[in-house]
Amino acid sequence: MATLNDIGVAAAINILSAFAFFLAFAILRIQPVNDRVYFPKWYLKGLRSSPLANGAFVSKFVNLDFRSYVRFLNWMPAALQMPEPELIDHAGLDSAVYLRIYMLGLKIFGPIAFLAFTIMVPVNWTNNTLERSSLTYSDIDKLSISNIPTGSRRFWTHLVMAYVFTIWTCYVLKREYEIVAAMRLHFLASEQRRPDQFTVLVRNVPPDPDESVSELVQHFFLVNHPDHYLSHQVVYNANNLSKLVNEKKQIQNWLDFYQNKYERNPSRRPSLKTGFLGLWGNSVDAIDFYTSKIERLSRDISAEREKVANNPKSIMPAAFVSFKTRWGAAVCAQTQQSRNPTIWLTEWAPEPRDVYWENLAIPFVFLTIRRLIVAVAFFFLTFFFMIPIAFVQSLANIEGIEKALPFLKPIIEMKGIKSFIQGFLPGIALKIFLLFLPTILMIMSKFEGCISLSVLERRSASRYYFFQFINVFLGSIIAGTAFQQLNNFIHQSTNQIPKTIGVSIPMKATFFITYIMVDGWAGVAGEILRLKPLIIYHLKNFFLVKTEKDREEAMDPGTIGFNTGEPQIQLYFLLGLVYAVVTPILLPFIIVFFGLAYVVYRHQIINVYNQEYESGAAFWPDVHARIIVALIVSQLLLMGLLSTKEAAQSTPLLITLPVLTIWFHRFCKGRYEPAFVRYPLQEAMMKDTLERAREPNLNLKGFLQSAYTHPVFKSADDSESDITMEESEQEPALIPTKRTSRRCTPLPSKHSGSWRCPPEVKDECSNP
């Protein structure tokens, strides 16, 4: 097992790595040539000008103010100075609440660590159980519950502390849920007017032989929401058009590259080969080649746009329907529209920049099949990943391998190699294996049919968390225990194996400590360095940029990355809550992570990240639920561990903890979650009333005119499309319809909603 010296080596390696990243960042961020890489958010807001425009030639690229190098850590206090209300105005509620997750970790684990080290560590340390056993252990394991003798009364200390930790965690969670819910309601009440406040997404519009989708939608909402319906925009399947537009942008980048190359050396026209990757084929003029491709793509785009606009098959049975008031939209979004609950399905429309347009073209009836396929694929992905996890654990438990394979011992015991392998390599290896997982999970979510970027990220985050729980947490414990106690497994009786596993679970704290240092400490420090965006920006700036607009597009501010960041945080919540009672030595490493990550991500949110959407902290119920799951898992594992320690008298008391925790979760779910899934009609009416008083002549139709038009129809590079929001005029006495066989406006088919008659034929309609 790893000794305190091995952990010290690992800590030193990771601390030095983190310090090197911070030092490199501190130097690179103050260089004028990197200003757009480390402060892109201010450029996008128009509040920062490029330092390259003024000063001497050298000072445009290198910072010659040596005093700024001395103050290389001044970014840390600067990141903490912006108050939270100003941060919300600057970056949005999503970003501000995301930071509160890190602060939540500090609030929970700070007091828990204090109690654990003042009460539990002395209780664990003052025993010699492991010294008298045949188990493989280290000095760190003497601080864990494994060092308590079987049947000892000292287990009552762990039982009482489990209750204390649970009560404190639930108190902090309730308080934070209450604060975030209030922040969300205040944000929704005070934010500026947005299209999604007035718009509902309608899906599964039933087919009708007499009317088009657009006419049917207009007819349905004029009949059923006559006082509030304003306009609608049908959804088009423009995926092929979108692919052509994206291809044209890529070709335009190559054309810019070769034009810049020619401008630098006008004596020679650039050329390329038309074969695979430009390695073989006919040699042609590069500028003429890409110019002709762009001309061809422009013709294809025009033809495809015309096809989408005029082909009824390109219209999906869905539409964005806008209302005259927020109250009208809230009523429609939160009620059933038809007696048949499977048609005319309504939900709040995502804000325009949050819409994932490709998935709107998926027929609603196929979504269930897609979800089933994704569920099966995720199941196999999760459990087949146990193989690399077992390999990583073989690196983390060298002594167990040495006992089974003694011929490797001379190599492993070489000076420095053992400490490096145990303290650094397992965390790096696991990080590499997980490198492509977020991309795979995001592809799954897209295939599943999620219609907004925020939902895509939340679905991916849920799967990523489950994956890490099964593989990184449970997989590491199970596989690690097998390798670590390999000799005992081979030579002991079968009925002793569960007891060995129960004792060995706390000993996996050593591996998780190294993982926290590699993934947490060094990973967070690497995030602020932004090495990949730095390299890509300078490559684009050198080869592609010709104008200031090109330079702005070359910036890659990135986003928080909720689909990867939040599951990582939740893993640390899980580790902290599980090992708080079992092996408290892990807690300081987690606290350092939360503190460091809070400062780093606060700096990034203020200066770098440009969030793609604003969901009003809709993700918080997921955050709360996962911490509750971690709390219940910690209680169940403690219950199982104590059962192997012959502490059966504590089992009835421990069973109460999960029950109380589930009750607490149900209370919070009923009390606070409605603020995240529903919009109160009282709030909507209040905001509508204030808006009418302040802006009595507001042209809402103009505001919503093209809000939900597909982006490819609003491209600045191509001609404008005729596809715009279809408006309704003042409601006529007779709802217009193409059904000449009926004098009133009955159900357009067996699928549609209510109907109404004009006054002059009311009696005839009611008495056929």
Side-chain angles (χ1 to χ4, degrees), residues 491-535:
H491 295 95
Q492 71 185 189
S493 60
T494 305
N495 60 354
Q496 292 294 312
I497 291 179
K499 183 177 180 180
T500 302
I501 294 178
V503 175
S504 300
I505 286 176
M507 298 182 184
K508 288 308 301 170
T510 302
F511 167 76
F512 288 122
I513 287 173
T514 62
Y515 181 74
I516 291 169
M517 288 189 291
V518 172
D519 183 64
W521 298 6
V524 168
E527 172 66 25
I528 202 170
L529 183 59
R530 306 198 75 228
L531 189 59
K532 180 181 175 182
L534 176 69
I535 295 173

Side-chain angles (χ1 to χ4, degrees), residues 717-732:
D717 297 332
D718 300 289
S719 58
E720 292 296 326
S721 171
D722 294 332
I723 298 178
T724 56
M725 191 74 98
E726 300 178 39
E727 302 177 5
S728 67
E729 302 298 332
Q730 186 175 3
E731 183 188 354

Side-chain angles (χ1 to χ4, degrees), residues 30-265:
I30 60 178
Q31 307 308 317
V33 73
N34 298 328
D35 205 56
R36 289 181 180 271
V37 178
Y38 294 107
F39 301 96
K41 192 175 188 70
W42 298 101
Y43 280 94
L44 294 174
K45 286 179 170 285
L47 300 176
R48 192 179 182 97
S49 58
S50 175
L52 300 178
N54 303 310
F57 179 78
V58 177
S59 63
K60 290 182 179 181
F61 301 95
V62 180
N63 190 339
L64 300 178
D65 182 7
F66 294 102
R67 291 174 298 179
S68 61
Y69 291 92
V70 178
R71 303 188 301 270
F72 70 96
L73 289 179
N74 65 348
W75 64 270
M76 288 188 173
L80 301 174
Q81 288 177 356
M82 183 179 286
E84 189 171 64
E86 186 178 341
L87 181 65
I88 293 174
D89 292 337
H90 176 70
L93 185 64
D94 280 343
S95 299
V97 171
Y98 182 80
L99 286 174
R100 295 189 72 93
I101 305 177
Y102 294 106
M103 187 56 67
L104 179 65
L106 294 174
K107 291 178 181 178
I108 290 176
F109 292 117
I112 286 179
F114 175 78
L115 291 176
F117 273 83
T118 55
I119 297 176
M120 297 180 60
V121 168
V123 171
N124 294 338
W125 178 262
T126 54
N127 285 281
N128 56 0
T129 303
L130 291 175
E131 294 177 0
R132 296 198 304 264
S133 71
S134 60
L135 295 170
T136 304
Y137 70 94
S138 71
D139 293 336
I140 289 179
D141 297 324
K142 293 181 181 179
L143 303 175
S144 74
I145 197 173
S146 297
N147 203 31
I148 304 295
T150 300
S152 173
R153 292 187 176 182
R154 295 193 179 199
F155 287 121
W156 284 102
T157 304
H158 300 82
L159 178 63
V160 172
M161 296 311 295
Y163 268 88
V164 172
F165 294 167
T166 297
I167 292 171
W168 172 250
T169 302
C170 290
Y171 169 77
V172 175
L173 283 175
K174 177 186 177 297
R175 180 64 180 157
E176 200 68 19
Y177 214 153
E178 185 177 8
I179 292 173
V180 174
M183 289 173 64
R184 173 179 168 84
L185 291 176
H186 180 266
F187 176 79
L188 294 177
S190 60
E191 70 174 339
Q192 295 181 348
R193 182 170 52 253
R194 296 193 325 191
D196 54 295
Q197 297 169 349
F198 300 88
T199 307
V200 168
L201 174 62
V202 184
R203 307 184 76 181
N204 216 24
V205 176
D208 189 274
D210 299 318
E211 294 183 329
S212 66
V213 172
S214 180
E215 293 167 338
L216 185 58
V217 169
Q218 183 183 32
H219 179 215
F220 181 86
F221 284 94
L222 279 173
V223 169
N224 296 287
H225 298 268
D227 299 325
H228 299 282
Y229 169 72
L230 179 66
S231 57
H232 72 277
Q233 170 64 65
V234 294
V235 174
Y236 291 85
N237 183 355
N239 289 350
N240 291 334
L241 178 59
S242 181
K243 291 177 182 177
L244 290 173
V245 171
N246 292 333
E247 184 181 355
K248 182 181 176 181
K249 289 180 180 179
Q250 295 176 0
I251 298 299
Q252 185 64 51
N253 286 337
W254 281 111
L255 179 60
D256 292 342
F257 167 73
Y258 284 110
Q259 285 177 338
N260 288 347
K261 186 176 180 180
Y262 178 63
E263 289 175 2
R264 295 189 184 100
N265 184 16

Side-chain angles (χ1 to χ4, degrees), residues 603-713:
H603 172 275
Q604 299 295 83
I605 284 171
I606 292 173
N607 298 298
V608 180
Y609 297 147
N610 185 44
Q611 195 66 2
E612 294 179 337
Y613 58 84
E614 177 59 61
S615 69
F619 55 81
W620 191 260
D622 295 335
V623 174
H624 176 89
R626 286 170 197 149
I627 298 176
I628 290 293
V629 169
L631 194 58
I632 294 174
V633 168
S634 69
Q635 296 159 356
L636 295 177
L637 289 180
L638 179 63
M639 193 185 309
L641 181 60
L642 291 181
S643 67
T644 67
K645 292 285 192 174
E646 298 180 8
Q649 68 275 11
S650 65
T651 302
L653 292 174
L654 277 176
I655 290 176
T656 309
L657 270 182
V659 175
L660 292 177
T661 304
I662 293 172
W663 174 85
F664 167 77
H665 175 60
R666 291 178 63 85
F667 165 77
C668 289
K669 187 178 179 69
R671 174 63 181 84
Y672 302 113
E673 188 173 310
F676 296 87
V677 296
R678 301 190 188 97
Y679 187 42
L681 295 181
Q682 182 184 25
E683 296 286 334
M685 180 61 74
M686 188 184 306
K687 198 165 179 62
D688 288 334
T689 304
L690 287 173
E691 188 171 74
R692 281 194 297 269
R694 292 172 180 171
E695 302 178 70
N697 299 320
L698 172 66
N699 180 14
L700 189 58
K701 286 183 179 179
F703 177 70
L704 298 172
Q705 180 72 25
S706 60
Y708 285 97
T709 301
H710 197 294
V712 296
F713 297 119

